[in-house]
Amino acid sequence: MEVAESEMGLVEYVRKASPPPFLLKTYMLVEDPATDDVVSWNGDGTAFVVWQPAEFARDLLPTLFKHSNFSSFVRQLNTYGFRKIATNRWEFSNDRFRKGERDQLCEIRRRKAWSNKSQPNVQVQGAAPPPENENDDGRSSSTSSSSEITTLVDENKRLKHENGVLNSELSIMKKKCKELLDLVNIYGGNSEKEEEDDEEEEDREGPKLFGVRLMEKKRKRVHGMLVG
């Protein structure tokens, strides 16, 4: 019996001493200097920033996780007590998730999912109020949902902005193409007109033989006969 309890205690110690896999993987992504343009620590190392959510989800998440869904990643952060601390970028903070303090990851615990427990139909007078942690779990769930909605709204705004930029660039390119075609038509038309004028002038002057007008040669021969 004592051996079994000792083994259970050892397992519990190892479990508490090892950080959750999600936190360890996230820490590895943030620490990697090769991906600083996509995700990195903030200036003082108290939070991390996902600079490019689309590239982060497409290129980095699948390397350590079994999905490429940025919203799922954010939900996981919420369950471990992370907070989004900036409105203009994806910056997340947890008091025990700091640069150079990897050993603190063991102190971060996942929040338990809140569930409605069945309550008896008849309440006993003077019964104790529900535990405070149940209310806290409810507030945590509500906060998590609000954070997800904010995440989706911000992502939608970013996509709309990018779409507007692309439409503007497309309009500029169309305008330039039209101007180029107009120039081609103008210069092309002038060249064709010059060629037509040259042909008409040659028709009026008559054919040439070795660069000499035949009609001019004939006129010289007749003139020589008359003089002679």
Side-chain angles (χ1 to χ4, degrees), residues 105-161:
L105 298 180
C106 301
E107 303 298 326
I108 302 176
R109 289 288 172 259
R110 182 169 182 161
R111 295 174 178 175
K112 295 181 180 180
W114 181 79
S115 59
N116 289 325
K117 297 182 180 180
S118 57
Q119 300 292 337
N121 293 331
V122 179
Q123 295 183 354
V124 180
Q125 185 176 1
E132 292 182 0
N133 61 344
E134 292 185 4
N135 295 331
D136 292 341
D137 288 340
R139 287 193 295 269
S140 299
S141 177
S142 177
T143 303
S144 176
S145 299
S146 300
S147 178
E148 291 175 19
I149 294 174
T150 303
T151 298
L152 294 175
V153 170
D154 291 342
E155 184 72 8
N156 188 40
K157 289 180 179 179
R158 185 183 67 82
L159 292 174
K160 283 184 177 181
H161 175 71

Side-chain angles (χ1 to χ4, degrees), residues 6-187:
S6 177
E7 290 180 351
M8 292 180 61
L10 180 61
V11 170
E12 183 67 14
Y13 172 78
V14 172
R15 185 185 68 81
K16 290 183 178 180
S18 302
F22 172 79
L23 298 177
L24 189 58
K25 293 176 181 179
T26 301
Y27 197 89
M28 291 170 59
L29 288 175
V30 178
E31 278 280 272
D32 188 358
T35 59
D36 282 352
D37 58 331
V38 179
V39 58
S40 69
W41 297 105
N42 64 355
D44 54 6
T46 59
F48 72 93
V49 184
V50 180
W51 303 104
Q52 302 182 45
E55 288 77 0
F56 178 80
R58 184 190 65 220
D59 302 330
L60 299 186
L61 283 183
T63 62
L64 294 177
F65 300 93
K66 296 181 179 180
H67 65 85
S68 58
N69 191 320
F70 185 67
S71 297
S72 297
F73 175 76
V74 174
R75 284 195 294 270
Q76 282 283 85
L77 291 176
N78 290 333
T79 62
Y80 283 98
F82 283 80
R83 306 181 311 279
K84 186 173 183 291
I85 60 175
T87 58
N88 59 341
R89 63 184 184 182
W90 298 99
E91 185 172 0
F92 302 95
S93 173
N94 184 300
D95 292 340
R96 299 187 182 277
F97 194 92
R98 302 292 179 90
K99 184 177 181 179
E101 299 180 8
R102 185 171 177 172
D103 57 319
Q104 292 295 314
L105 298 180
C106 301
E107 303 298 326
I108 302 176
R109 289 288 172 259
R110 182 169 182 161
R111 295 174 178 175
K112 295 181 180 180
W114 181 79
S115 59
N116 289 325
K117 297 182 180 180
S118 57
Q119 300 292 337
N121 293 331
V122 179
Q123 295 183 354
V124 180
Q125 185 176 1
E132 292 182 0
N133 61 344
E134 292 185 4
N135 295 331
D136 292 341
D137 288 340
R139 287 193 295 269
S140 299
S141 177
S142 177
T143 303
S144 176
S145 299
S146 300
S147 178
E148 291 175 19
I149 294 174
T150 303
T151 298
L152 294 175
V153 170
D154 291 342
E155 184 72 8
N156 188 40
K157 289 180 179 179
R158 185 183 67 82
L159 292 174
K160 283 184 177 181
H161 175 71
E162 292 181 357
N163 188 41
V165 172
L166 291 175
N167 286 332
S168 177
E169 292 178 354
L170 180 60
S171 299
I172 294 174
M173 292 302 298
K174 286 183 177 179
K175 183 178 179 181
K176 290 183 177 180
C177 288
K178 184 177 182 303
E179 293 175 353
L180 181 60
L181 289 174
D182 291 341
L183 290 175
V184 171
N185 291 332
I186 292 173
Y187 288 107

